[in-house]
C-alpha cells in the first residue's frame, strides 16, 4: 500500500533540533550536526542557555562560533533560547525530533532520562547518533580546561573557537 502524497512540499519536511550548551562548540558537535543535516531537511542548532549558569562565552558568541563552524551546511540554522524547556523550543520551531550524539555509555546514562522526560511531556522523540570515535575524548569542558592551562586544542575545535578560547581563558589567567 502506498502512503498518501503530501498536499504540499512543506508537509513532508523533517526538521530536527540539535540542542546543547555549546560553550563552546567542538568538532564532535559539528560532526553530529553535519550528520543530522544529512538525515533531515532542516536542522535547528538550539543554544540552550541556562541564565543561572555563567559560561565562558555569551549565548550570542556561542551562536556566532557555531555559525562559523557549520556555515557550509545547507538547511542548518542556529538560534539561542533561554530559560525554556527543550520540548517548548521544538514546538516553537516546528521540530518533531531531537538529535544527540553519544560518545559513550556515560553519555547514554545522562541522556536517557532527558529523552524519556521529553517523550513523557509531549511525545517528542530523541534520535541518538554514535559519536565519531576520533572525537570520543572531546567535550566543551575538557577543551576549556586544556586551554586554561596552556594546552593546544587544534583539531578538536575550529581554529576560530581555539583562538577565542585562548583570548578569553589565557587572558583571564593574568588577572
Ligand atoms: O550540552 P549540554 O549541556 O549537555 O546540553 C543539555 C541541554 C541544554 C540540551 C539540556 O539541559 C536541556 O534540554 N535543557 C533545556 C531545559 C529542559 O528542557 N530540561 C528538561 C530536559 S528533560
Amino acid at each position: 500500500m502506498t502512503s498518501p502524497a503530501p498536499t504540499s512540499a512543506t508537509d513532508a519536511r523533517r526538521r530536527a533540533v540539535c540542542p546543547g550548551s555549546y560553550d563552546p562548540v567542538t568538532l564532535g558537535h559539528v560532526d553530529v550536526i553535519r550528520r543530522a543535516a544529512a538525515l533531515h531537511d532542516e536542522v535547528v542548532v538550539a543554544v540552550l542557555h541556562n541564565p543561572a549558569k555563567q559560561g565562558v562565552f555569551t549565548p550570542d558568541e556561542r551562536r556566532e562560533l557555531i555559525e562559523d563552524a557549520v556555515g557550509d551546511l545547507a538547511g542548518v540554522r542556529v538560534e539561542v533560547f533561554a530559560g525554556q524547556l527543550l520540548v517548548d523550543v521544538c514546538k516553537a520551531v516546528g521540530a518533531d525530533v531531537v538529535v544527540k550524539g553519544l560518545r559513550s555509555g556515560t553519555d547514554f546514562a545522562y541522556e536517557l532520562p532527558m529523552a524519556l522526560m521529553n517523550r513523557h511531556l509531549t511525545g517528542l522523540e530523541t534520535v541518538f547518533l554514535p559519536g565519531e570515535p576520533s572525537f570520543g575524548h572531546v567535550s566543551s569542558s575538557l577543551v576549556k580546561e586544556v586551554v586554561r592551562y596552556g594546552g593546544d586544542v587544534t583539531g578538536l575545535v575550529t581554529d576560530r573557537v581555539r583562538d577565542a578560547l585562548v583570548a578569553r581563558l589565557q587572558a583571564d589567567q593574568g588577572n
Side-chain angles (χ1 to χ4, degrees), residues 5-13:
T7 52
S8 75
T10 48
D11 290 344
R13 293 188 76 76

Side-chain angles (χ1 to χ4, degrees), residues 19-22 48 84-87 100 110-111 114 117-118:
S21 309
Y22 297 110
L48 290 171
Q84 282 186 65
L85 286 174
L86 179 58
V87 290
K100 290 262 187 125
Y110 170 71
E111 296 290 347
M114 292 198 283
M117 180 59 81
N118 288 330

Side-chain angles (χ1 to χ4, degrees), residues 3-116:
S3 7
T7 52
S8 75
T10 48
D11 290 344
R13 293 188 76 76
R14 298 304 303 263
R15 189 174 295 134
V17 165
C18 288
S21 309
Y22 297 110
D23 186 39
V25 66
T26 68
L27 291 186
H29 291 130
V30 172
D31 175 62
V32 171
I33 295 165
R34 186 181 301 279
R35 288 158 61 200
L39 294 169
H40 300 85
D41 299 307
E42 292 178 13
V43 169
V44 178
V45 181
V47 179
L48 290 171
H49 163 57
N50 178 350
K53 260 171 84 177
Q54 170 105 25
V56 165
F57 296 107
T58 67
D60 279 335
E61 287 171 333
R62 297 179 208 181
R63 179 178 48 72
E64 282 166 22
L65 291 170
I66 301 167
E67 282 171 348
D68 175 72
V70 301
D72 62 318
L73 296 179
V76 175
R77 68 174 197 270
V78 189
E79 291 189 31
V80 171
F81 300 88
Q84 282 186 65
L85 286 174
L86 179 58
V87 290
D88 292 330
V89 168
C90 288
K91 224 180 266 174
V93 303
D96 55 6
V97 66
V98 168
V99 176
K100 290 262 187 125
L102 293 180
R103 289 163 299 191
S104 65
T106 308
D107 276 356
F108 182 68
Y110 170 71
E111 296 290 347
L112 181 62
M114 292 198 283
L116 292 174

